[in-house]
Tab-separated table of all heavy atoms in Angstrom:
chain	number	residue	atom	x	y	z
A	8	HIS	N	6.280	15.737	-5.286
A	8	HIS	CA	7.288	15.582	-4.231
A	8	HIS	C	8.576	15.120	-4.897
A	8	HIS	O	8.677	13.981	-5.355
A	8	HIS	CB	6.821	14.576	-3.188
A	8	HIS	CG	7.856	14.233	-2.159
A	8	HIS	ND1	8.482	15.186	-1.402
A	8	HIS	CD2	8.368	13.026	-1.767
A	8	HIS	CE1	9.337	14.598	-0.573
A	8	HIS	NE2	9.285	13.282	-0.788
A	9	LEU	N	9.589	16.017	-4.978
A	9	LEU	CA	10.850	15.681	-5.621
A	9	LEU	C	11.676	14.769	-4.718
A	9	LEU	O	11.875	15.054	-3.538
A	9	LEU	CB	11.645	16.947	-5.939
A	9	LEU	CG	11.352	17.666	-7.263
A	9	LEU	CD1	12.212	18.902	-7.393
A	9	LEU	CD2	11.582	16.737	-8.456
A	10	VAL	N	12.177	13.695	-5.303
A	10	VAL	CA	13.017	12.746	-4.576
A	10	VAL	C	14.335	12.633	-5.341
A	10	VAL	O	14.336	12.370	-6.549
A	10	VAL	CB	12.332	11.371	-4.479
A	10	VAL	CG1	13.266	10.342	-3.879
A	10	VAL	CG2	11.052	11.471	-3.679
A	11	ASP	N	15.463	12.852	-4.651
A	11	ASP	CA	16.744	12.789	-5.351
A	11	ASP	C	17.163	11.339	-5.573
A	11	ASP	O	16.528	10.385	-5.099
A	11	ASP	CB	17.826	13.580	-4.614
A	11	ASP	CG	18.148	13.019	-3.236
A	11	ASP	OD1	17.860	11.838	-2.986
A	11	ASP	OD2	18.697	13.770	-2.408
A	12	ALA	N	18.275	11.160	-6.305
A	12	ALA	CA	18.699	9.821	-6.706
A	12	ALA	C	18.998	8.938	-5.507
A	12	ALA	O	18.683	7.737	-5.515
A	12	ALA	CB	19.920	9.920	-7.617
A	13	ALA	N	19.607	9.505	-4.460
A	13	ALA	CA	19.940	8.700	-3.285
A	13	ALA	C	18.683	8.168	-2.603
A	13	ALA	O	18.615	6.994	-2.211
A	13	ALA	CB	20.781	9.527	-2.315
A	14	ALA	N	17.669	9.026	-2.463
A	14	ALA	CA	16.420	8.594	-1.819
A	14	ALA	C	15.659	7.616	-2.709
A	14	ALA	O	15.060	6.653	-2.212
A	14	ALA	CB	15.554	9.806	-1.494
A	15	PHE	N	15.680	7.841	-4.011
A	15	PHE	CA	14.996	6.936	-4.933
A	15	PHE	C	15.654	5.554	-4.905
A	15	PHE	O	14.975	4.527	-4.890
A	15	PHE	CB	15.023	7.521	-6.345
A	15	PHE	CG	14.076	6.857	-7.314
A	15	PHE	CD1	12.712	7.093	-7.243
A	15	PHE	CD2	14.549	6.003	-8.291
A	15	PHE	CE1	11.834	6.492	-8.134
A	15	PHE	CE2	13.686	5.393	-9.193
A	15	PHE	CZ	12.323	5.640	-9.106
A	16	GLN	N	16.970	5.540	-4.860
A	16	GLN	CA	17.696	4.273	-4.774
A	16	GLN	C	17.372	3.534	-3.482
A	16	GLN	O	17.243	2.309	-3.461
A	16	GLN	CB	19.196	4.549	-4.858
A	16	GLN	CG	20.067	3.322	-4.735
A	16	GLN	CD	21.433	3.651	-4.169
A	16	GLN	OE1	21.540	4.088	-3.026
A	16	GLN	NE2	22.472	3.442	-4.969
A	17	ALA	N	17.212	4.296	-2.391
A	17	ALA	CA	16.950	3.679	-1.094
A	17	ALA	C	15.617	2.932	-1.069
A	17	ALA	O	15.429	2.022	-0.249
A	17	ALA	CB	16.973	4.734	0.006
A	18	LEU	N	14.675	3.287	-1.953
A	18	LEU	CA	13.401	2.572	-2.019
A	18	LEU	C	13.603	1.084	-2.318
A	18	LEU	O	12.786	0.247	-1.934
A	18	LEU	CB	12.502	3.182	-3.097
A	18	LEU	CG	11.913	4.575	-2.826
A	18	LEU	CD1	11.249	5.110	-4.090
A	18	LEU	CD2	10.916	4.517	-1.690
A	19	PHE	N	14.707	0.754	-2.986
A	19	PHE	CA	14.936	-0.613	-3.456
A	19	PHE	C	15.793	-1.427	-2.492
A	19	PHE	O	16.259	-2.515	-2.850
A	19	PHE	CB	15.600	-0.585	-4.841
A	19	PHE	CG	14.718	-0.055	-5.921
A	19	PHE	CD1	14.549	1.311	-6.090
A	19	PHE	CD2	14.029	-0.915	-6.770
A	19	PHE	CE1	13.723	1.813	-7.089
A	19	PHE	CE2	13.202	-0.425	-7.757
A	19	PHE	CZ	13.041	0.941	-7.917
A	20	ALA	N	15.975	-0.918	-1.269
A	20	ALA	CA	16.839	-1.615	-0.314
A	20	ALA	C	16.350	-3.028	-0.022
A	20	ALA	O	17.155	-3.948	0.163
A	20	ALA	CB	16.944	-0.803	0.976
A	21	ASP	N	15.024	-3.226	0.028
A	21	ASP	CA	14.463	-4.541	0.338
A	21	ASP	C	13.842	-5.222	-0.879
A	21	ASP	O	13.161	-6.243	-0.732
A	21	ASP	CB	13.397	-4.415	1.438
A	21	ASP	CG	13.998	-3.974	2.760
A	21	ASP	OD1	15.135	-4.387	3.055
A	21	ASP	OD2	13.336	-3.208	3.491
A	22	ALA	N	14.060	-4.667	-2.060
A	22	ALA	CA	13.489	-5.253	-3.287
A	22	ALA	C	14.474	-6.286	-3.836
A	22	ALA	O	15.145	-6.087	-4.845
A	22	ALA	CB	13.203	-4.166	-4.316
A	23	ARG	N	14.534	-7.415	-3.163
A	23	ARG	CA	15.569	-8.410	-3.460
A	23	ARG	C	15.318	-9.153	-4.774
A	23	ARG	O	16.237	-9.744	-5.320
A	23	ARG	CB	15.661	-9.416	-2.312
A	23	ARG	CG	16.102	-8.788	-0.995
A	23	ARG	CD	16.068	-9.788	0.131
A	23	ARG	NE	14.734	-10.321	0.369
A	23	ARG	CZ	13.809	-9.732	1.110
A	23	ARG	NH1	14.060	-8.544	1.639
A	23	ARG	NH2	12.623	-10.287	1.295
A	24	ALA	N	14.090	-9.137	-5.249
A	24	ALA	CA	13.772	-9.890	-6.473
A	24	ALA	C	13.902	-9.052	-7.741
A	24	ALA	O	13.910	-9.608	-8.838
A	24	ALA	CB	12.359	-10.454	-6.379
A	25	THR	N	14.006	-7.739	-7.607
A	25	THR	CA	13.942	-6.857	-8.783
A	25	THR	C	15.212	-6.957	-9.613
A	25	THR	O	16.310	-6.716	-9.119
A	25	THR	CB	13.713	-5.405	-8.357
A	25	THR	OG1	12.562	-5.342	-7.512
A	25	THR	CG2	13.484	-4.523	-9.571
A	26	ARG	N	15.043	-7.312	-10.891
A	26	ARG	CA	16.170	-7.408	-11.828
A	26	ARG	C	16.239	-6.224	-12.771
A	26	ARG	O	17.306	-5.837	-13.214
A	26	ARG	CB	16.043	-8.667	-12.687
A	26	ARG	CG	16.651	-9.937	-12.132
A	26	ARG	CD	15.847	-10.526	-11.044
A	26	ARG	NE	16.201	-11.955	-10.846
A	26	ARG	CZ	15.765	-12.659	-9.833
A	26	ARG	NH1	14.984	-12.112	-8.920
A	26	ARG	NH2	16.109	-13.927	-9.704
A	27	LEU	N	15.070	-5.664	-13.098
A	27	LEU	CA	15.001	-4.665	-14.167
A	27	LEU	C	14.120	-3.509	-13.734
A	27	LEU	O	13.044	-3.724	-13.163
A	27	LEU	CB	14.431	-5.306	-15.443
A	27	LEU	CG	14.063	-4.396	-16.609
A	27	LEU	CD1	15.298	-3.708	-17.176
A	27	LEU	CD2	13.351	-5.192	-17.702
A	28	ALA	N	14.574	-2.284	-13.996
A	28	ALA	CA	13.769	-1.087	-13.764
A	28	ALA	C	13.584	-0.358	-15.090
A	28	ALA	O	14.544	-0.174	-15.842
A	28	ALA	CB	14.435	-0.167	-12.745
A	29	ILE	N	12.354	0.033	-15.372
A	29	ILE	CA	12.015	0.841	-16.549
A	29	ILE	C	11.601	2.216	-16.019
A	29	ILE	O	10.601	2.321	-15.300
A	29	ILE	CB	10.855	0.237	-17.356
A	29	ILE	CG1	11.060	-1.261	-17.571
A	29	ILE	CG2	10.678	0.974	-18.682
A	29	ILE	CD1	12.233	-1.618	-18.410
A	30	LEU	N	12.348	3.244	-16.375
A	30	LEU	CA	12.041	4.598	-15.923
A	30	LEU	C	11.556	5.387	-17.128
A	30	LEU	O	12.352	5.979	-17.873
A	30	LEU	CB	13.285	5.254	-15.302
A	30	LEU	CG	13.955	4.470	-14.159
A	30	LEU	CD1	15.183	5.221	-13.643
A	30	LEU	CD2	12.973	4.192	-13.030
A	31	ASN	N	10.247	5.371	-17.344
A	31	ASN	CA	9.666	6.053	-18.489
A	31	ASN	C	9.351	7.486	-18.087
A	31	ASN	O	8.189	7.879	-17.932
A	31	ASN	CB	8.415	5.325	-18.970
A	31	ASN	CG	8.188	5.534	-20.455
A	31	ASN	OD1	8.698	6.490	-21.041
A	31	ASN	ND2	7.428	4.645	-21.066
A	32	ALA	N	10.424	8.245	-17.881
A	32	ALA	CA	10.326	9.633	-17.457
A	32	ALA	C	11.521	10.385	-18.022
A	32	ALA	O	12.626	9.837	-18.126
A	32	ALA	CB	10.302	9.738	-15.930
A	33	CYS	N	11.315	11.630	-18.373
A	33	CYS	CA	12.357	12.430	-19.008
A	33	CYS	C	13.582	12.563	-18.103
A	33	CYS	O	13.459	12.668	-16.881
A	33	CYS	CB	11.828	13.827	-19.350
A	33	CYS	SG	10.392	13.802	-20.439
A	34	GLN	N	14.751	12.546	-18.715
A	34	GLN	CA	16.039	12.830	-18.077
A	34	GLN	C	16.416	11.829	-16.983
A	34	GLN	O	17.322	12.088	-16.206
A	34	GLN	CB	16.055	14.257	-17.502
A	34	GLN	CG	15.922	15.332	-18.573
A	34	GLN	CD	16.112	16.739	-18.019
A	34	GLN	OE1	15.595	17.064	-16.954
A	34	GLN	NE2	16.855	17.562	-18.726
A	35	THR	N	15.755	10.685	-16.940
A	35	THR	CA	16.139	9.684	-15.946
A	35	THR	C	17.407	8.947	-16.347
A	35	THR	O	18.028	8.273	-15.518
A	35	THR	CB	15.008	8.680	-15.722
A	35	THR	OG1	14.530	8.203	-17.001
A	35	THR	CG2	13.859	9.316	-14.949
A	36	ALA	N	17.814	9.058	-17.626
A	36	ALA	CA	19.075	8.473	-18.075
A	36	ALA	C	20.193	9.507	-18.136
A	36	ALA	O	21.339	9.163	-18.431
A	36	ALA	CB	18.908	7.824	-19.444
A	37	ALA	N	19.872	10.785	-17.876
A	37	ALA	CA	20.894	11.833	-17.914
A	37	ALA	C	21.913	11.589	-16.809
A	37	ALA	O	21.576	11.206	-15.691
A	37	ALA	CB	20.244	13.201	-17.742
A	38	THR	N	23.197	11.803	-17.147
A	38	THR	CA	24.273	11.598	-16.179
A	38	THR	C	25.169	12.822	-16.129
A	38	THR	O	25.202	13.644	-17.053
A	38	THR	CB	25.118	10.367	-16.534
A	38	THR	OG1	25.670	10.532	-17.850
A	38	THR	CG2	24.280	9.103	-16.496
A	39	SER	N	25.911	12.936	-15.052
A	39	SER	CA	26.821	14.055	-14.864
A	39	SER	C	27.989	13.962	-15.848
A	39	SER	O	28.483	12.865	-16.130
A	39	SER	CB	27.362	14.047	-13.432
A	39	SER	OG	28.427	14.971	-13.282
A	40	ASP	N	28.416	15.123	-16.368
A	40	ASP	CA	29.601	15.129	-17.215
A	40	ASP	C	30.861	15.426	-16.403
A	40	ASP	O	31.936	15.650	-16.968
A	40	ASP	CB	29.447	16.152	-18.351
A	40	ASP	CG	29.224	17.569	-17.845
A	40	ASP	OD1	29.246	17.786	-16.612
A	40	ASP	OD2	29.023	18.471	-18.684
A	41	GLN	N	30.731	15.428	-15.065
A	41	GLN	CA	31.864	15.702	-14.190
A	41	GLN	C	32.175	14.562	-13.225
A	41	GLN	O	33.329	14.351	-12.850
A	41	GLN	CB	31.609	16.983	-13.374
A	41	GLN	CG	31.379	18.214	-14.245
A	41	GLN	CD	31.042	19.447	-13.427
A	41	GLN	OE1	31.418	19.552	-12.260
A	41	GLN	NE2	30.325	20.386	-14.045
A	42	ARG	N	31.142	13.823	-12.808
A	42	ARG	CA	31.345	12.733	-11.853
A	42	ARG	C	30.742	11.449	-12.413
A	42	ARG	O	29.635	11.463	-12.947
A	42	ARG	CB	30.695	13.060	-10.505
A	42	ARG	CG	31.339	14.242	-9.772
A	42	ARG	CD	30.595	14.507	-8.468
A	42	ARG	NE	29.231	14.997	-8.732
A	42	ARG	CZ	28.234	14.897	-7.864
A	42	ARG	NH1	28.422	14.269	-6.707
A	42	ARG	NH2	27.039	15.387	-8.160
A	43	PRO	N	31.452	10.335	-12.303
A	43	PRO	CA	30.937	9.082	-12.874
A	43	PRO	C	29.753	8.535	-12.086
A	43	PRO	O	29.656	8.709	-10.868
A	43	PRO	CB	32.147	8.134	-12.780
A	43	PRO	CG	32.985	8.696	-11.678
A	43	PRO	CD	32.785	10.183	-11.720
A	44	LEU	N	28.837	7.892	-12.813
A	44	LEU	CA	27.692	7.173	-12.243
A	44	LEU	C	26.780	8.065	-11.414
A	44	LEU	O	26.135	7.607	-10.471
A	44	LEU	CB	28.167	5.988	-11.401
A	44	LEU	CG	28.974	4.913	-12.140
A	44	LEU	CD1	29.401	3.812	-11.188
A	44	LEU	CD2	28.188	4.342	-13.305
A	45	VAL	N	26.715	9.354	-11.752
A	45	VAL	CA	25.787	10.267	-11.086
A	45	VAL	C	24.581	10.431	-12.002
A	45	VAL	O	24.684	10.987	-13.082
A	45	VAL	CB	26.432	11.627	-10.785
A	45	VAL	CG1	25.383	12.606	-10.266
A	45	VAL	CG2	27.549	11.462	-9.763
A	46	GLY	N	23.443	9.935	-11.565
A	46	GLY	CA	22.215	9.969	-12.346
A	46	GLY	C	21.238	8.981	-11.758
A	46	GLY	O	21.613	8.090	-10.989
A	47	LEU	N	19.984	9.130	-12.112
A	47	LEU	CA	18.951	8.273	-11.520
A	47	LEU	C	19.138	6.808	-11.931
A	47	LEU	O	19.069	5.903	-11.098
A	47	LEU	CB	17.567	8.775	-11.948
A	47	LEU	CG	16.423	8.520	-10.974
A	47	LEU	CD1	16.678	9.215	-9.651
A	47	LEU	CD2	15.110	8.993	-11.564
A	48	ALA	N	19.376	6.564	-13.218
A	48	ALA	CA	19.521	5.183	-13.689
A	48	ALA	C	20.777	4.506	-13.136
A	48	ALA	O	20.692	3.394	-12.603
A	48	ALA	CB	19.505	5.149	-15.221
A	49	PRO	N	21.965	5.128	-13.239
A	49	PRO	CA	23.153	4.454	-12.687
A	49	PRO	C	23.053	4.184	-11.193
A	49	PRO	O	23.586	3.189	-10.705
A	49	PRO	CB	24.293	5.435	-13.000
A	49	PRO	CG	23.806	6.247	-14.137
A	49	PRO	CD	22.329	6.374	-13.933
A	50	SER	N	22.358	5.055	-10.456
A	50	SER	CA	22.259	4.839	-9.009
A	50	SER	C	21.495	3.555	-8.688
A	50	SER	O	21.800	2.861	-7.713
A	50	SER	CB	21.585	6.036	-8.336
A	50	SER	OG	20.204	6.091	-8.640
A	51	LEU	N	20.496	3.200	-9.515
A	51	LEU	CA	19.733	1.983	-9.263
A	51	LEU	C	20.576	0.731	-9.491
A	51	LEU	O	20.358	-0.301	-8.839
A	51	LEU	CB	18.489	1.933	-10.149
A	51	LEU	CG	17.369	2.913	-9.809
A	51	LEU	CD1	16.148	2.623	-10.669
A	51	LEU	CD2	16.997	2.855	-8.342
A	52	LEU	N	21.544	0.805	-10.411
A	52	LEU	CA	22.397	-0.353	-10.645
A	52	LEU	C	23.216	-0.708	-9.410
A	52	LEU	O	23.640	-1.850	-9.241
A	52	LEU	CB	23.333	-0.091	-11.825
A	52	LEU	CG	22.672	0.029	-13.199
A	52	LEU	CD1	23.715	0.334	-14.254
A	52	LEU	CD2	21.912	-1.233	-13.557
């Protein structure tokens, strides 16, 4: 089930204690070369 960055980020709406996320999955650090902060990792920040 593919979940885009916006939906993945929304999972953490009530995760008030979470300081650190480890995404051990390919291309989760990949970002857009056209728009800033577009990517799975930057969205969680």
Side-chain angles (χ1 to χ4, degrees):
H8 173 55
L9 274 179
V10 173
D11 64 21
F15 194 74
Q16 178 207 64
L18 290 171
F19 292 80
D21 294 325
R23 296 175 299 276
T25 306
R26 272 75 161 171
L27 170 65
I29 313 295
L30 305 179
N31 208 339
C33 302
Q34 296 187 317
T35 49
T38 58
S39 170
D40 59 3
Q41 301 176 26
R42 294 178 293 157
L44 299 179
V45 172
L47 209 61
S50 71
L51 289 187
L52 293 178

